[in-house]
Amino acid sequence: MRKAVLLLCTALFTGCAIPPESNDIVTPPIAGQPLSDANKKAIATLFSLLAKEAKKHWGDDDYVESSKHRYVKYLDGYQTRAHIDFEAGKIYVSTVSQHQPMEKLHKAIVQTVLMPADPKDVEQFSDKDVKLTGKPFFMGQIVDQEGKSIEWEWRANRFAGYMIENKLQSKAIKQGKAYYVQIDMVKDHLEQREYQYANLVRDASKHYDIPEDLIYAVIKTESSFNPYAVSHAGAYGLMQVIPKTAGADVFNLVKKKPGMPTKEYLFDPASNIDTGTAYLHILKTRYLREVTNPSSRHFSMISAYNSGTGGVLSTFHTDRKKAMVMLNQKSPTQVYDALTTEHPKDEARRYLQKVLYFQKDFSQGKI
């Protein structure tokens, strides 16, 4: 299986040459043009291979996989796992191993609380151990039984022992018996993650002239500040950038180089925030620059980040030129109403509402 995963990853994340664009207005992909069928199939296969192995031990009902707001890492021949819910601030470390289950659980707790901040050291599509290098990602987000942050392995081991002795739970599943512990993050876990990326957001904001509160709002909407985020659509990292579409646009139109970013590039928080913000800049200054009202352009840009410029324009007319004319004839309120009630995709309607809600909170310092 590992060989198959390696071959799929190589095929999926190798860039392909794309001619650089001119300085003229470029026609964007229609309606958030997705990955090619080959890449979609490859990503689906990676998830499928993982599910096949994990379900042997967990069954269909208790199988869990990674998503935009959730990180799931399987260990120990897929019998043990860490499940991190970034929205709820909950961590569940579980095992169905019937051979030394407490030892497996202990090791998994240590690896989870000391998980490295650099996502490249975490392999989500295999059962390999996590490399414990550098500063733990959860520093400040998790505290031990004494209310202290967990930075060193000795403290992580002591915490794991405490959790197993005092917080161990079990439940029957179809495949047998599962043992697990629940670890609650601190109340301000979201702010703790936000602080980790403050400098990166500030730099990207200044470089691309995109408001900081908008960048924060997009990150929260896309991943809840989960740097390990991955989706079936092939989007990666904090701002959920798809290599083939937004990533390729940024490489060609902003970075002036061919190809598209790799998975490793997009899992790097600095590169991810830079790329996601650069794509917002492209939407604002190129694809949607003909939108005359700044507020209408702002609404359109946010919606387009989720579903493509084509999706925004198709809300107003099937013909792109006529759609732009109709969009500009409407007030910002009318544009907002159209994008949140008439956009072809339900997800895009909700997306604009969420981002604007979070942006308001970030601008007022509530988050």
Side-chain angles (χ1 to χ4, degrees), residues 68-69 221-222 231 233 240 302-303 305-307 339-340 343-355:
K68 294 168 60 171
H69 301 273
T221 304
E222 291 288 351
S231 74
Q240 284 293 277
I302 293 171
S303 184
Y305 190 89
N306 173 258
S307 63
L339 291 174
T340 55
H343 192 288
K345 294 184 178 180
D346 289 340
E347 179 187 351
R349 300 175 188 177
R350 297 188 296 271
Y351 186 85
L352 177 56
Q353 294 172 322
K354 287 181 181 179
V355 172

Side-chain angles (χ1 to χ4, degrees), residues 81-264:
R81 74 179 178 214
H83 167 196
I84 302 166
D85 186 330
F86 281 91
E87 283 187 299
K90 305 286 185 183
I91 300 174
Y92 308 93
V93 185
S94 317
T95 188
V96 292
S97 175
Q98 301 306 302
H99 176 65
Q100 297 182 322
M102 297 305 105
E103 287 82 352
K104 304 290 177 59
L105 198 60
H106 184 107
K107 181 179 179 180
I109 293 171
V110 171
Q111 290 196 23
T112 301
V113 299
L114 294 180
M115 196 162 64
D118 190 342
K120 79 174 187 300
D121 293 323
V122 179
E123 175 51 67
Q124 296 185 56
F125 290 104
S126 80
D127 66 334
K128 293 179 181 179
D129 285 351
V130 177
K131 297 178 183 178
L132 303 182
T133 60
K135 182 180 179 180
F137 175 73
F138 286 111
M139 272 284 292
Q141 300 176 62
I142 300 173
V143 295
D144 66 8
Q145 66 275 19
E146 297 176 348
K148 295 181 179 179
S149 244
I150 305 171
E151 182 176 5
W152 311 110
E153 195 162 346
W154 67 266
R155 187 176 288 279
N157 274 297
R158 192 171 70 172
F159 176 65
Y162 170 83
M163 292 298 295
I164 291 173
E165 184 176 349
N166 297 278
K167 304 293 182 179
L168 182 67
Q169 301 182 64
S170 64
K171 73 171 186 175
I173 64 174
K174 288 184 179 180
Q175 306 300 102
K177 189 174 185 180
Y179 298 94
Y180 68 98
V181 296
Q182 175 183 312
I183 302 171
D184 296 326
M185 297 185 202
V186 297
K187 290 183 178 179
D188 64 343
H189 64 93
L190 182 68
E191 289 87 343
Q192 293 286 341
R193 293 198 295 281
E194 174 193 333
Y195 297 150
Q196 291 190 34
Y197 308 116
N199 291 335
L200 301 179
V201 170
R202 188 180 303 114
D203 290 345
S205 172
K206 291 179 179 178
H207 188 70
Y208 296 111
D209 191 27
I210 299 295
E212 285 187 37
D213 54 15
L214 175 58
I215 301 172
Y216 280 122
V218 170
I219 295 174
K220 182 176 181 183
T221 304
E222 291 288 351
S223 68
S224 296
F225 292 87
N226 168 17
Y228 316 96
V230 61
S231 74
H232 279 274
Y236 297 100
L238 293 162
M239 297 187 75
Q240 284 293 277
V241 178
I242 295 179
K244 188 81 172 181
T245 52
D249 276 358
V250 170
F251 266 32
N252 286 276
L253 303 177
V254 178
K255 305 297 183 182
K256 302 300 180 184
K257 60 182 180 182
M260 59 184 177
T262 62
K263 177 192 73 170
E264 290 75 19

Side-chain angles (χ1 to χ4, degrees), residues 26-42:
V26 177
T27 301
I30 297 175
Q33 180 181 342
L35 290 169
S36 67
D37 289 341
N39 281 341
K40 267 187 161 182
K41 184 177 180 180

Side-chain angles (χ1 to χ4, degrees), residues 245-297:
T245 52
D249 276 358
V250 170
F251 266 32
N252 286 276
L253 303 177
V254 178
K255 305 297 183 182
K256 302 300 180 184
K257 60 182 180 182
M260 59 184 177
T262 62
K263 177 192 73 170
E264 290 75 19
Y265 182 90
L266 292 177
F267 268 144
D268 174 65
S271 299
N272 188 281
I273 291 174
D274 178 85
T275 304
T277 307
Y279 186 60
L280 287 170
H281 172 78
I282 291 172
L283 293 171
K284 177 182 177 181
T285 63
R286 182 178 288 257
Y287 293 162
L288 294 166
R289 74 182 187 187
E290 294 181 13
V291 180
T292 54
N293 185 283
S295 295
S296 295
R297 191 185 311 124

Side-chain angles (χ1 to χ4, degrees), residues 11-77:
L12 182 59
F13 301 122
T14 301
C16 58
I18 300 175
E21 301 287 354
S22 69
N23 290 326
D24 296 329
I25 296 177
V26 177
T27 301
I30 297 175
Q33 180 181 342
L35 290 169
S36 67
D37 289 341
N39 281 341
K40 267 187 161 182
K41 184 177 180 180
I43 291 171
T45 303
L46 285 173
F47 274 104
S48 177
L49 287 171
L50 176 64
K52 180 180 178 182
E53 294 299 317
K55 286 180 179 180
K56 291 177 182 177
H57 306 285
W58 297 87
D60 291 341
D61 293 341
D62 292 282
Y63 168 69
V64 184
E65 67 182 16
S66 293
S67 64
K68 294 168 60 171
H69 301 273
R70 181 174 64 211
Y71 164 88
V72 180
K73 170 63 178 170
Y74 285 90
L75 301 159
D76 177 39

